[in-house]
Amino acid sequence: MAPPGPILRMRGIGKRFPGVKALDGVDFRLLPGEVHALMGENGAGKSTLIKVLTGVYDIDDGEMELEGRPAAFSSPLAAQQAGISTVYQEVNLCPNLSVAENIFIGREPRRLGHIRWKRMRHRAGELLHRLDLDLDVSAALSTYSLAVQQMVAIARAVDVEAKVLVLDEPTSSLDAGEVAQLFRVMRRLKEQGIAILFVSHFLDQVYEIADRMTILRNGRLVGEYLTSELSQVELVGKMIGRELADLERLEGRPLARETGPLVEARDLGRAGAIEPFTLTIHEGEVVGLAGLLGSGRTELARLLFGADHAGTGSLRIAGEAANLRTPRAAIHRNLAFCSENRREEGLVPDLTVRENIVLALQAARGWTRPLPRRRQDELVAKYISALNIRPADPEQLVQNLSGGNQQKVLLARWLILEPRLLILDEPTRGIDVGAKAEIQRLVAELSDGGMAVLFISAELEEVLRLSHKVGVLRDRRLVAEVDNDEGLTSEVLTETIASGAAS
Amino acid sequence: MTVSPTSSGPLTLLRHRLFWPVVILVALLLLNVVFTDHFFSIEVKEGHLYGSLIDIVRFGAPLILVALGMTLVIATSGIDLSVGSVVAISGALACLQISDLGDQDSVGGVLGAAGVALLLSLVLGAWNGVLVAAVGIQPIIATLILMVAGRGLAQLITGGQIITVNSSPYKLIGGGYWLTLPFGIIIVLVVLALTAFLTRRLALGLLIRSVGGNAEASRLAGIGARGVVITVYTFCALCAGIAGLMISSNVSSADGNNAGLWIELDAILAVVIGGTPLSGGRFSLGGTVLGALIIQTLTTTIYSIGVPPETTLLFKALVVTVVCLLQSPAFRAKVVRRRRPAGVSPVAEEKVRVHA
């Protein structure tokens, strides 16, 4: 078969940042009417390549052609005008505006200078209808779920005469049904001849939707492959440059020793967030929480950590009654909570990697007892190397790091406190296979060392691999608590989530 | 997420945060040399340092103090509009007490008066902090309350009159000399050293930047954000209180209406010129001092080059606008970019445009 000529071709692309070579001689092409996955670990250069393509960064080396003509975009707007539309990982819309306003912001249909609201709403409805969405377009965007917001972002992106649609991790916060809906939309766009560049860390999704993939590693091109000709194992091998054995080695780990209960929650609950639940976590035990998005996993964790006030019930930590009114109180009792929302609840973007890492420890000491600089440097250096944080520069602003490395910085912040219970909310979301394996191995090691871990993840496989015990949530209720033994498989777990009762 | 074209070598100096404020200050000073003879000369008369440069620092001292406190408030992404009122209240209370003294020259009496005035400033600052951190009112509104009410309070204290005092120990604070230096400059140096100590040697600076950069993340990291914010507003009011003593001491009188009028705006300006963003999360004490000096030098310049009084405010506004633009990295990047694209690939851009 003779494929049609590429709509987009990039040759020898290079991009340098102070001290980092983010891209080095990368070739890339996109054919019309295909879904092309861009694969690679965190820091492999995926985001940089996308930002170069969409005009956020300028190119240091190499050239770019759009429809056979040389192109260089000085701004995202220029790229968009040339037909390259992007939907980023974190939805870049205004939640306070209505759906229709969001779709037409900056290009409202006008007559004599004033906005034709009726026409705008009508067109927005039409547009969404084509994507199988039936929304009240005059409602504020914030009233809809993240998934729907994502679809609105896509609707907006394709309405501006897109030839190339870039989807940067669109599925990282969607549940299975929503992903299916997104894929339906993607297939429809593909039929219309739009080239879709798709970035996702979920391999199954890539294999479901992508026709072709380009793999990057450490800023260099590994190769371009047809999805049908590359097995998952080969793909992962090419991404991380080593074999996948790491991921498997964790299987079959022994159950925790019988130890005293560390955290005992009795009928702990908060109206509107989570129904009263009872949960015991032992020292050295990994308790997994499984459930759909919005089933109350995060809410449960936040109550344990005192991030929200519990309305009912009681909590005992290490045998003592605890009334946690603030995270500060929880930290004093050796609890740590790594939020799923890195950007809003985790990182302080203007601080350096070092400052972000020592933040919780310094907060625990209070501002009158500064942590000596030498001690800071020691601790930070230790965790940068232990967690393999890249670039290994403690004075780099944390906002310049890739997602997976930011996650590791957050982990380091809590690990230096040496907590007795570490709550990890989706620690592996949006990060690549290599870093995922590293974090999973870390969790196993920590629990072997006696630390209790509450592990929340949307990926059942991961929960099963790591946990000694799994709590299942459904509709903001803890519906089951199952020991992770031979009999527990992801099918059983799925069944439990679906039916709401332990088998 | 800012990415600027990279370069190295001599340009590193150009990229230093304080490069532009320094350039502006030097330019203003040089401008003065043209209009004033011996502008840079500093001489010792009767064991006191005299000279135009000394005067700039001396008259700028209250502004530097207020701006230092403001810097920390702004770094927590707050703002304090009430500093002008605190200046007035502090001066009024001190002068009222001194005027009630049997012997206005008694050092103990003056110290007591200053102490009470500063104590009240602390209380007022804590009030601001509580409104912002505990009650949760937006800083601009919370401090607006005291900005308006504070003027009233100051007038209440002075009984609507201008209180004049005749006390040589009190006069020392704003107008006197110590170790050849104007006493005001010494106070500024002490407060500056104290602030630098609190924020750099102790961890207050890190916590302030963290709270200003991401309040929710800071709370979850166990920072007592409430305490930090209250501390910062209290510190800011203390600085304003000291500035109030200086201002009233300098003229040996307290004017509840006009003392410290609009100083909050000058202070915010000084902070911004010094490179501390209003969005918080970062701050520069050195920048703030430079900023305050720039504003004071500008005021001096206006008099020395003989700008007609009716155009003074306009002239000042123009200069300040230029300063702010020069100081803004975003603006400079825009200017540079506009000049450069010719080199990149005009043909390619042209084609893309045509296509769109």
Side-chain angles (χ1 to χ4, degrees), chain A residues 427-499:
Chain A
T428 61
R429 184 169 90 189
I431 70 175
D432 63 77
V433 185
K436 208 177 242 184
E438 281 173 30
I439 287 176
Q440 292 177 0
R441 198 173 324 113
L442 185 75
V443 169
E445 279 169 19
L446 291 171
S447 98
D448 288 344
M451 192 185 290
V453 179
L454 184 66
F455 190 87
I456 303 176
S457 174
E459 287 183 58
L460 296 182
E461 296 294 337
E462 191 175 61
V463 172
L464 280 173
R465 189 176 301 134
L466 290 171
S467 315
H468 300 113
K469 186 168 82 180
V470 180
V472 179
L473 287 130
R474 184 191 148 100
D475 298 336
R476 304 189 177 277
R477 230 151 44 80
L478 184 65
V479 290
E481 206 176 306
V482 216
D483 281 332
N484 190 1
D485 51 25
E486 305 294 304
L488 192 63
T489 61
S490 55
E491 285 74 32
V492 176
L493 214 47
T494 313
E495 185 73 11
T496 314
I497 291 172
S499 67

Side-chain angles (χ1 to χ4, degrees), chain A residues 415-428:
Chain A
L415 291 180
I416 60 173
L417 287 178
E418 298 175 354
R420 295 173 77 177
L421 171 67
L422 177 61
I423 304 170
L424 296 174
D425 194 357
E426 298 274 10
T428 61

Side-chain angles (χ1 to χ4, degrees), chain A residues 69-350:
Chain A
R69 277 168 292 216
F73 308 123
S74 53
S75 69
L77 190 65
Q80 201 181 63
Q81 282 168 350
I84 299 180
S85 288
T86 316
V87 175
Y88 284 105
Q89 187 172 356
E90 268 111 8
V91 181
N92 266 334
L93 296 174
C94 309
N96 53 328
L97 298 186
S98 77
V99 171
E101 283 166 327
N102 267 295
I103 293 178
F104 287 102
I105 194 166
R107 51 192 188 91
E108 300 88 351
R110 286 167 187 270
R111 185 168 50 199
L112 298 175
H114 72 93
I115 297 173
R116 302 170 65 188
W117 293 103
K118 209 168 176 180
R119 182 166 160 67
M120 184 161 112
R121 282 194 292 271
H122 181 71
R123 278 192 48 198
E126 226 174 6
L127 200 63
L128 290 168
H129 194 68
R130 267 196 278 155
L131 303 184
D132 285 338
L133 281 173
D134 193 18
L135 307 179
D136 175 6
V137 294
S138 46
L141 186 70
S142 55
T143 55
Y144 290 104
S145 72
L146 211 56
V148 172
Q149 295 187 16
Q150 195 117 46
M151 306 281 179
V152 171
I154 292 174
R156 172 185 161 75
V158 296
D159 189 49
V160 280
E161 307 279 302
K163 299 186 195 70
V164 174
L165 176 62
V166 181
L167 298 176
D168 190 357
E169 297 213 31
T171 57
S172 59
S173 42
L174 306 191
D175 68 27
E178 293 166 336
V179 169
Q181 189 181 14
L182 174 68
F183 283 0
R184 266 204 307 282
V185 169
M186 284 169 68
R187 290 202 183 92
R188 190 159 298 178
L189 295 172
K190 190 171 114 175
E191 284 159 17
Q192 294 167 15
I194 293 177
I196 300 177
L197 173 56
F198 177 66
V199 178
S200 170
H201 285 299
F202 298 96
L203 299 188
D204 290 340
Q205 293 178 1
V206 169
Y207 273 82
E208 187 184 337
I209 191 84
D211 306 303
R212 193 186 289 271
M213 56 179 84
T214 293
I215 305 174
L216 301 179
R217 187 169 72 231
N218 290 335
R220 292 169 175 276
L221 178 70
V222 176
E224 189 201 83
Y225 306 89
L226 282 173
T227 313
S228 52
E229 292 173 3
L230 189 73
S231 76
Q232 291 210 13
V233 175
E234 285 172 316
L235 166 65
V236 173
K238 288 184 191 306
M239 279 165 62
I240 62 181
R242 58 176 189 264
E243 296 308 312
L244 191 55
D246 284 352
L247 272 183
E248 308 304 328
R249 211 181 300 150
L250 295 172
E251 306 256 20
R253 41 194 304 260
L255 279 170
R257 311 173 290 282
E258 272 310 307
T259 47
L262 177 65
V263 173
E264 300 167 86
R266 188 171 301 279
D267 294 327
L268 205 61
R270 176 180 164 88
I274 179 136
E275 301 285 309
F277 64 91
T278 298
L279 181 70
T280 306
I281 303 174
H282 293 84
E283 288 187 35
E285 186 179 40
V286 181
V287 177
L289 287 185
L292 297 176
L293 203 75
S295 60
R297 301 175 308 202
T298 301
E299 288 78 1
L300 188 156
R302 287 178 66 92
L303 279 196
L304 285 184
F305 187 62
D308 296 323
H309 297 181
T312 62
S314 65
L315 184 65
R316 293 176 76 79
I317 297 172
E320 281 176 44
N323 179 17
L324 302 179
R325 300 196 57 80
T326 59
R328 199 173 162 74
I331 291 167
H332 276 292
R333 292 174 183 268
N334 292 311
L335 266 48
F337 171 61
C338 209
S339 167
E340 64 172 333
N341 195 340
R342 284 197 290 271
R343 201 172 59 162
E344 268 148 41
E345 298 178 354
L347 300 163
V348 185
D350 278 335

Side-chain angles (χ1 to χ4, degrees), chain B residues 53-142:
Chain B
L53 290 181
I54 299 290
D55 281 345
I56 288 175
V57 185
R58 188 161 70 114
F59 293 126
L63 179 59
I64 297 178
L65 282 179
V66 174
L68 276 178
M70 187 72 80
T71 306
L72 298 192
V73 169
I74 288 180
T76 62
S77 72
I79 201 151
D80 188 348
L81 296 182
S82 72
V83 285
S85 296
V86 175
V87 163
I89 291 171
S90 153
L93 188 60
C95 287
L96 177 72
Q97 287 181 302
I98 291 170
S99 66
D100 286 346
L101 286 176
D103 171 18
Q104 294 201 357
D105 284 339
S106 109
V107 176
V110 169
L111 278 181
V116 171
L118 294 184
L119 201 67
L120 180 60
S121 304
L122 286 174
V123 171
L124 293 174
W127 157 264
N128 277 334
V130 167
L131 285 189
V132 172
V135 185
I137 303 178
Q138 286 186 358
I140 197 164
I141 303 300

Side-chain angles (χ1 to χ4, degrees), chain B residues 197-260:
Chain B
F197 174 77
L198 288 177
T199 55
R200 300 222 183 149
R201 305 296 300 189
L202 301 187
L204 189 60
L206 175 66
L207 300 194
I208 287 174
R209 285 185 294 137
S210 176
V211 170
N214 188 341
E216 179 60 12
S218 303
R219 187 178 81 92
L220 290 176
I223 293 175
R226 206 173 274 190
V228 171
V229 169
I230 293 176
T231 307
V232 159
Y233 279 90
T234 310
F235 179 78
C236 181
L238 177 66
C239 288
I242 300 174
L245 295 183
M246 256 186 213
I247 289 174
S248 68
S249 143
N250 199 24
V251 293
S252 285
S253 67
D255 179 349
N257 266 331
N258 293 312

